[in-house]
Amino acid sequence: MNDQMSSEDIQITAFNIILHSGNAKTKIHAAFKAMRNAEFDTANQLLEEANEEILEAHKSQSDLLQSYANGCKIEMEIIMVHAQDHLMTTMTLREVAIEMCNLYQKTYKLSNQ
């Protein structure tokens, strides 16, 4: 095993995390729109699709951590800091969206009784 991960490999990993996090964030915002329109099946489907994107981003993150755990030196780059921030905020946004979807559904049911 190489003793140090190349800058290019770190950047590729970071951009992969950003790509999938961004895809997830787009799906989450589409789910918010579906919630506002009382399209809860669509919203839940979009949130599930967002989770799949998050899992892809998380896989890249886990691969990086596994390399580190195996003794590979990884120089921190600002793009990786950005990628990690992007992933964590997207994960939090999805958690909030799930709660909001539940609230929208309850409100919708109550207003239609």
Side-chain angles (χ1 to χ4, degrees):
M1 169 175 258
N2 194 351
D3 293 277
Q4 184 164 352
M5 183 174 279
S6 73
S7 178
E8 183 178 330
D9 287 339
I10 292 169
Q11 290 173 15
I12 289 169
T13 300
F15 282 116
N16 194 40
I17 292 169
I18 292 166
L19 169 72
H20 290 291
S21 296
N23 289 345
K25 191 175 281 189
T26 298
K27 290 180 183 294
I28 293 165
H29 284 287
F32 281 129
K33 181 178 180 183
M35 288 175 219
R36 288 189 299 273
N37 293 323
E39 298 168 354
F40 303 115
D41 288 339
T42 300
N44 286 317
Q45 177 62 37
L46 287 163
L47 292 174
E48 183 56 38
E49 291 172 15
N51 191 55
E52 294 300 319
E53 291 286 347
I54 289 169
L55 290 173
E56 285 297 316
H58 193 263
K59 182 182 181 307
S60 294
Q61 182 187 53
S62 296
D63 290 346
L64 186 70
L65 290 170
Q66 186 174 8
S67 293
Y68 178 76
N70 288 331
C72 185
K73 184 173 171 140
I74 299 171
E75 294 288 332
M76 188 49 59
E77 296 195 16
I78 193 69
I79 193 67
M80 184 57 73
V81 174
H82 174 67
Q84 295 297 313
D85 181 53
H86 200 41
L87 176 57
M88 296 309 296
T89 57
T90 302
M91 290 171 69
T92 301
L93 182 63
R94 182 178 170 274
E95 291 171 12
V96 170
I98 290 168
E99 290 301 316
M100 287 184 67
C101 192
N102 290 329
L103 290 172
Y104 268 109
Q105 285 177 314
K106 286 181 182 181
T107 303
Y108 182 78
K109 286 177 185 175
L110 287 173
S111 67
N112 289 308
Q113 285 185 350

